[in-house]
């Protein structure tokens, strides 16, 4: 089982290069940066985790900027968005950002995406909440065209353009792995339809969902082993981690607090010991 680490990178947290280097030195496979462009003051949308929305959601830096900095400081660790809100972004520009960071990192980028939960936030970007998942799918389909063809075009309801020329192309062919975030069963279906991985929500019961997910993949004509399952936000529980490994979870990614290294490194060291226990 692979292990990563995620953090809301802010002005007051460890820097992305600091965290990426610390994780790489300890044998972690990936570092992940979440995204929120802003948090509306209205707060009409409740926080899925319950209670008040943590401060770092409004303070998060742009994931492409911080991950590019992390790429420059490291050699092997993969760099992931956990997750990118593609329905709030221009599709053509995002395709260029993804290809550019894959070039800068020499093929180490992982594109984690999600439909988002904050209706107020996405509406500020002109995105309709009810149709956000269709816009996500069209964005991914269109970006795949841009990444793989010298003259790409796409015609959908939300994403629509005549033939264009756009470089660079990603180092990874045909494109960086796309990890689709979302709850079971809808998120699982989306991952099977256009993803290379699935990031289930932390609130689901993976012991029940993973066998169903594998069944759904086979029914759709896909090999379940070809779709990596990455579990975010897990507790420090070695027995549960071992069970998830046995079920087929490919990677676990703890969410680290957005604090300085003196507070975060002891947590990483505990996870390093868990990684050694799980993988022998």
């Amino acid at each position: 089982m692979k292990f990563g680490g995620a953090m809301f990178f802010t002005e007051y947290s460890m820097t992305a290069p600091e965290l990426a280097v610390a994780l790489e030195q300890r044998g972690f496979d990936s570092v992940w940066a979440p995204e929120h462009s802003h948090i509306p003051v209205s707060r009409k949308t409740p926080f899925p985790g319950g209670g008040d929305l943590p401060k770092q959601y409004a303070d998060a830096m742009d994931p492409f900027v911080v991950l590019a900095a992390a790429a420059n400081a490291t050699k092997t660790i993969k760099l992931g968005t956990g997750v990118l809100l593609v329905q709030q972004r221009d599709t053509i520009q995002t395709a260029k950002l993804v290809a550019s960071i894959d070039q800068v990192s020499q093929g180490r980028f992982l594109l984690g995406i999600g439909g988002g939960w904050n209706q107020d936030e996405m509406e500020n970007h002109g995105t309709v909440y009810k149709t956000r998942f269709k816009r996500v799918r069209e964005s991914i389909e269109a970006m795949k065209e841009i990444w793989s063809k010298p003259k790409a075009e796409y015609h959908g309801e939300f994403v629509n353009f005549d033939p264009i020329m756009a470089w660079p192309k990603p180092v990874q062919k045909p494109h960086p792995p796309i990890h689709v975030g979302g709850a079971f069963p809808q998120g699982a279906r989306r991952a099977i339809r256009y993803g290379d991985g699935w990031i289930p929500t932390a609130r689901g019961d993976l012991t029940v969902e993973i066998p169903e997910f594998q069944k759904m993949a086979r029914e759709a004509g896909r090999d379940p082993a070809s779709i990596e399952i990455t579990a975010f936000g897990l507790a420090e529980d070695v027995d549960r981690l071992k069970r998830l490994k046995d079920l087929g979870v490919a990677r676990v990614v703890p969410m680290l607090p957005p604090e300085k290294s003196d507070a975060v490194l002891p947590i990483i060291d505990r996870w390093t010991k868990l990684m050694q226990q799980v993988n022998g």
Side-chain angles (χ1 to χ4, degrees):
M1 180 185 277
K2 294 176 281 192
F3 283 69
M7 179 183 286
F8 278 87
F9 295 105
T10 68
E11 296 174 60
Y12 45 82
S13 72
M14 287 180 78
T15 68
E18 286 174 334
L19 179 60
V21 167
L23 292 172
E24 184 175 82
Q25 289 174 342
R26 291 162 175 78
F28 288 72
D29 99 298
S30 53
V31 59
W32 299 75
E35 169 174 57
H36 281 280
S37 60
H38 68 288
I39 297 297
V41 174
S42 69
R43 303 298 308 118
K44 289 183 294 186
T45 308
F47 177 44
D52 293 334
L53 184 69
K55 182 178 185 298
Q56 62 263 27
Y57 278 71
D59 299 345
M61 294 185 181
D62 181 88
F64 287 105
V65 174
V66 295
L67 292 175
N72 194 48
T74 54
K75 289 182 169 56
T76 60
I77 197 166
K78 296 185 183 298
L79 313 134
T81 49
V83 291
L84 195 75
L85 302 174
V86 291
Q87 84 285 355
Q88 298 179 185
R89 287 177 167 264
D90 178 82
T91 300
I92 297 172
Q93 193 65 53
T94 303
K96 183 178 286 286
L97 284 165
V98 170
S100 297
I101 196 169
D102 202 49
Q103 284 283 346
V104 167
S105 66
Q106 298 180 313
R108 290 187 278 145
F109 185 63
L110 305 172
L111 178 57
I113 64 167
W117 55 268
N118 194 321
Q119 181 174 347
D120 317 26
E121 177 184 353
M122 65 186 75
E123 286 178 350
N124 287 166
H125 290 279
T127 297
V128 177
Y129 185 76
K130 288 183 178 179
T131 55
R132 69 194 187 281
F133 289 117
K134 185 174 183 181
R135 183 165 177 169
V136 169
R137 175 178 57 78
E138 289 189 4
S139 297
I140 294 301
E141 290 174 349
M143 287 194 288
K144 286 180 178 180
E145 293 293 304
I146 295 171
W147 293 326
S148 62
K149 294 181 179 177
K151 294 181 180 179
E153 64 179 298
Y154 186 85
H155 302 285
E157 180 181 349
F158 302 102
V159 182
N160 184 42
F161 52 86
D162 290 329
I164 64 171
M165 295 182 290
W167 272 265
K169 306 300 184 187
V171 172
Q172 299 177 85
K173 303 301 181 187
H175 51 73
I178 298 167
H179 294 262
V180 182
F184 185 87
Q186 292 88 351
R189 290 195 190 100
R190 290 190 285 270
I192 291 166
R193 180 170 183 177
Y194 53 81
D196 305 294
W198 177 40
I199 304 173
T201 62
R203 293 177 295 280
D205 184 351
L206 292 178
T207 60
V208 174
E209 295 172 354
I210 289 175
E212 289 297 314
F213 169 75
Q214 294 167 337
K215 179 183 176 184
M216 287 167 55
R218 286 190 292 269
E219 290 173 349
R222 294 199 60 180
D223 177 3
S226 71
I227 309 172
E228 278 195 337
I229 299 175
T230 297
F232 270 68
L234 297 179
E236 298 175 34
D237 183 339
V238 67
D239 292 331
R240 187 181 183 208
L241 293 171
K242 287 179 177 179
R243 287 197 300 273
L244 294 178
K245 180 183 178 182
D246 291 340
L247 282 168
V249 172
R251 179 188 292 108
V252 295
V253 181
M255 181 60 74
L256 302 166
E259 298 178 19
K260 298 296 186 184
S261 58
D262 58 347
V264 176
L265 290 179
I267 301 172
I268 296 174
D269 287 336
R270 294 200 301 269
W271 275 97
T272 303
K273 292 177 182 177
L274 287 168
M275 177 169 57
Q276 293 164 349
Q277 290 176 278
V278 170
N279 291 330

